[in-house]
Amino acid sequence: MIRICEVGPRDGLQNEKTPIETKQKIEFIHKLAKAGLKTIEATSFVRPGAIPQLSDAKEVYEGLSDLTGSGEFPVLIPNTRGLENALECGVRSIAVFTATSNSFTLKNTNATREESMERIRAIVSALRSLGMQNEVRIRGYISTVVDCPYEGPQDPAMAAEMASQLLDLGCFEISLGETIGTAVPADIRRLLDSVLASIPAERLAGHYHDTRGTALANVFASLDYGIRSFDSSAGGMGGCPYAPGAAGNLATEDLVYSLERSGMTTGVDLELLAEATSYIEQAVGRPSTSRVYQALKAKRK
Ligand code: MG
């Protein structure tokens, strides 16, 4: 069984310009759950106004109350303030983020790499002081593990070191983010040779971007290393902020099709997934970059 973390409602919609109504986001997540996705990153509890598309985090999360028990709906948490707001809404699964590149964390979070780790430590200690460290699952994201849009190639040893630190802080899984979609399997092998020297494959996930059409090749390279957890976005929603018009997140349809056809199980129904994508595609007003989705759509006509 391959675990898929569907990131469309958060990582995907965050990068879409068209404002999506709260009720459409809630409906989108329901359709994704109906398609069989068990982990759906729902939103991000950022400072109000920081990311207009995600300013309705509380309302979106509360709109999922009927889904509790049918899956896990993690939310992205940037700081302790976000954590407090999320816990008040009943959130019990969070994701924290950092990057190997200092320039990247500075540009995106106005913090050095070390300060971004400090923010994560503060989130974890806030959970401890509330006595909730065993009730809340924490997933760690590390971005720019292969290339940074500002610094270029990254040392795999940095990803390995940061992943160890995040596991020590209590993260159950580390998602390795290939943020700009430049990597090919040789890059991923170099990365995993380094990270797997200190971390078991069961604790890692691949978050590969498809900007240059290489994400699936990177998934299959990772499968050879025993990785069984991947992030993707329905319809490839989100695009790439570093290459306007190009694909960002690997499309969940492309991932599910390729894994299932190779004899692996995902638990996802492709037809129902395409319905979720079709729904959000109309709201976003931009065609999906998923080739499998486009092929399914053409066949239906
Ligand atoms: Mg992404």
Side-chain angles (χ1 to χ4, degrees):
M1 182 86 179
I2 305 293
R3 299 192 306 282
I4 296 178
C5 178
E6 166 62 46
V7 298
R10 198 282 301 170
D11 191 8
L13 293 186
Q14 175 175 337
N15 290 310
E16 293 293 347
K17 298 262 180 301
T18 315
I20 310 296
E21 287 175 45
T22 305
K23 64 172 195 288
Q24 291 177 312
K25 294 175 190 169
I26 294 170
E27 179 65 15
F28 177 41
I29 295 170
H30 277 77
K31 286 179 183 294
L32 292 167
K34 199 175 154 206
L37 286 153
K38 292 289 177 214
T39 306
I40 305 172
E41 199 172 80
T43 183
S44 175
F45 279 74
V46 288
R47 174 170 51 80
I51 303 174
Q53 186 72 275
L54 301 177
S55 58
D56 56 359
K58 181 173 184 282
E59 292 76 14
V60 168
Y61 193 81
E62 286 172 352
L64 308 179
S65 53
D66 60 318
L67 291 176
T68 318
S70 66
E72 187 169 357
F73 302 91
V75 304
L76 197 69
I77 298 293
N79 49 40
T80 50
R81 183 66 200 274
L83 176 73
E84 287 163 20
N85 293 338
L87 292 176
E88 256 173 45
C89 294
V91 167
R92 292 297 177 270
S93 176
I94 66 171
V96 294
F97 56 94
T98 181
T100 58
S101 157
N102 200 44
S103 311
F104 190 84
T105 58
L106 274 171
K107 266 262 197 324
N108 281 273
T109 64
N110 204 22
T112 63
R113 181 176 55 216
E114 189 40 45
E115 284 164 353
S116 84
M117 286 300 291
E118 269 312 315
R119 285 180 189 174
I120 295 174
R121 283 185 204 106
I123 290 169
V124 171
S125 52
L127 275 176
R128 285 211 183 102
S129 57
L130 291 166
M132 293 186 76
Q133 70 272 28
N134 296 325
E135 279 171 61
V136 177
R137 268 160 64 87
I138 313 174
R139 190 169 195 250
Y141 278 111
I142 306 176
S143 290
T144 64
V145 293
V146 173
D147 278 329
C148 165
Y150 315 110
E151 289 181 4
Q154 299 291 294
D155 182 357
M158 179 57 79
E161 167 58 28
M162 296 182 86
S164 288
Q165 288 184 26
L166 289 172
L167 287 177
D168 289 345
L169 283 169
C171 290
F172 72 91
E173 183 174 80
I174 308 302
S175 171
L176 299 169
E178 202 281 274
T179 309
I180 55 174
T182 47
V184 297
D187 296 298
I188 297 300
R189 285 194 282 268
R190 202 175 309 124
L191 171 74
L192 293 177
D193 281 334
S194 173
V195 177
L196 286 168
S198 51
I199 292 169
E202 307 84 72
R203 310 294 295 275
L204 297 172
H207 182 117
Y208 304 142
H209 280 198
D210 205 27
T211 314
R212 289 163 185 78
T214 57
L216 272 178
N218 294 336
V219 165
F220 279 83
S222 307
L223 287 167
D224 289 342
Y225 279 79
I227 305 225
R228 295 291 179 268
S229 179
F230 299 97
D231 300 353
S232 61
S233 155
M237 246 355 105
C240 177
Y242 310 102
N249 291 305
L250 170 61
T252 309
E253 286 88 344
D254 299 11
L255 178 63
V256 167
Y257 172 83
S258 305
L259 292 173
E260 295 269 346
R261 182 137 176 148
S262 306
M264 287 166 268
T265 313
T266 63
V268 178
D269 181 315
L270 258 187
E271 293 288 337
L272 291 176
L273 175 58
E275 278 175 32
T277 293
S278 169
Y279 176 81
I280 204 65
E281 187 184 41
Q282 286 165 39
V284 163
R286 196 175 63 78
S288 156
T289 53
S290 165
R291 278 152 290 186
V292 170
Y293 170 75
Q294 296 300 349
L296 281 170
K297 207 164 89 170
K299 204 171 122 191
R300 265 191 206 171
K301 276 186 185 156

